[in-house]
Amino acid sequence: MAQNDRINEFMELFTRSEPRISALVFSLLANWADADDVKQEINAVLWKKFDEFESGSNFLAWAYAIARIEVMRYRKSRGRDRLQFTDQFMDVVCKQTFHESDLLEARRRSLADCVEQLSEADRKLIRMRYAEGATVDSVAEQVGRSVDAVYKAVMHIRRALHRCVQLATGAEGW
Amino acid sequence: MSDKTLISEMSDLLDATCDGRLDAVGQARLDYLVCTDLRAAEFYVHYMHLHDHLRHQAFADDLSADVSVPDLAHAKPLSFFSLHRRPMRYALAASLILMVGALGSVMMSLSVKQTDEYNGIVRQGFASLTGSTDAVFGESDVPTAVGSQLPAGFLRLRSGTVQVEFYSGAQVTLEGPCEFGINSASRGFLKVGRIAAYVPDKAHGFTVGAPKYAVVDLGTRFIMTVREGGDSSVRVTEGKVELQSGTKVQPLTVWQTAQVDASGTIHDVVAETDPALVPVTDSLRSGKLPAGLDVVGDFAELTPRGMAVTGKGPAGGGEKRTYIRTVRTDWYQTNFIAEVTVDVPDTTETNAITFFGMGGAEMTKVTPFQEPIFGPHVLAVMWPGGNIDSRIDSIHAEGKTVAKNLHIRGGTHKLRMVWDADTEKARFELEEGNKGVVTAKFEIDASKSIFNALSSRILFGGGGGLVFRDFSVTPAEVIP
């Protein structure tokens, strides 16, 4: 296969799988800064090892396995300088993510519709909260409300979105 | 830990995680819950994925002006990542989203192992198909044999009934035609058709999704119908559920029924009195069928004498049978006494067979005889003999002759069924001439019929020439 074809194949597979890989990595680390670091490594390894990937087989399963290895490697490199989940926790989350892969993808696809169902004020607030680099503190400063008030407001919106996505998942079947 | 308690604690821990407020104690607790409780693991993964997708995807449209696609043909492979900007990534994802289905089907066919937290058994999938009655399946994503373990996928039932037990403990009965999906051990999806769900304490929070809304069970029983076109209804027969439509939540308590339109808008939450406390009584002579009854068959006419079956022809289904049945479908759970009066023609010109009893009251789809024997049933079937003095000559039930040589002439007769819900035995009585004297009496043990909340209507009917009236069902605390 020509190099350009191989790049295109990788691009297609990677682009389809990347949101799921990203979410798995975040689920394992529960910290965006760490997740962003390790994702860069994972992306590089995926491409580097892509020659070992057999066309037509399950790219996502292969990518999940690599992501898990890289997260474990990253955790080891960080040592005990921050809180970490147990290895058993990592196993459970990996298995659950893999088992529910289709459902999780359906949930992801439904999220934008659920955001649309929010009131304008809620949508604006949640957009600010999830803007690049934003924190609850920075949003509170922007909107002139207490940190605690923003924390609670975001929490309520996020839980409503969670419920909405549950419904939308059903509407899409999986 | 109850679902409610678990969800509350997990929600607090996860929100703290999302907003960087989780301390060491909280993290240890979260770790423990996820490692020891499948529900917590599922919740954790769902919530963390949502949080990550909110960051990366949900507002991608706002950033669409920022899209830039690198020239990969001239780029070194690794430069893809250095050029890789979020908006481009998701724009590409959107353009390729249709291809996800193929990968999805691969994933769906993979074996899914779950450890049953209640007894330690490792199981495949999310549920078991525990029973079926006259089930005819369409092309289903999951196995359809009784005893099969069910992974994620759709069951497509053309007719009959099927019982599915989720590993969370929730039990769902499907009535064909029905298309029902298994999403996880605690979640199903009703695309079209009708189901009855029983959710024991340990499975609280069990959810059935439907197009545009979902029913979250807070403990107990409900019946849910989704019609072609998307209109649907939910009726709670015990306990409480929540209807969730978009960001709206509508609680629904026992004996409330909600209508939901195809857009997910909840209308007409109607409260009814516990039907177990209300007798169903109707003379059938008002010219109008009461709300609690409906008709199966094309040959019924409500006349001043009662509900007349108007078909004509030889016995064996040729007399064009028609049946009246209760709308309520879960009588098997209640002790009751049902009575109906029937006029049997005093002539040999017709040979109508009379049916009376309890069952799904669907006409059979596998024989041409128009018998209401589709699904579990307990029925008294009264046959005429060949002479004018034997318009009811024998009674059949469960494939056996339970009374014969009765020599009952045509006229007005009363039929009675006494149902004992505890022992699942039915006693039938026939009063010849409606004079208060029992002419024939027999008992049927129906404990092997496996009635369910969708299949136990009370029904009566039969062939052309019969006229039924004065129907009543009286719930009874103690069977006389």
Side-chain angles (χ1 to χ4, degrees), chain A residues 92 124 143 153:
Chain A
V92 169
K124 186 177 176 185
V143 299

Coordinates of all heavy atoms in Angstrom, one line a residue, chain A residues 92 124 143 153:
Chain A
V92 N -11.0 -2.1 35.7 CA -12.5 -2.1 35.6 C -12.9 -1.0 34.6 O -13.8 -1.3 33.8 CB -13.1 -1.7 37.0 CG1 -14.6 -1.4 36.9 CG2 -12.9 -2.9 38.0
K124 N -24.7 29.0 27.8 CA -23.6 30.0 27.8 C -22.6 29.6 29.0 O -21.4 29.7 28.8 CB -24.1 31.4 28.0 CG -23.1 32.5 27.9 CD -23.7 33.9 28.0 CE -22.7 35.0 28.0 NZ -23.3 36.3 28.3
V143 N -18.2 35.8 35.3 CA -19.6 36.1 35.4 C -20.0 36.9 36.6 O -21.1 37.3 36.8 CB -20.5 34.8 35.3 CG1 -20.3 34.1 34.0 CG2 -20.1 33.9 36.5
A153 N -24.1 25.5 39.8 CA -24.8 25.7 38.6 C -24.3 24.7 37.5 O -25.1 24.1 36.8 CB -24.7 27.1 38.1

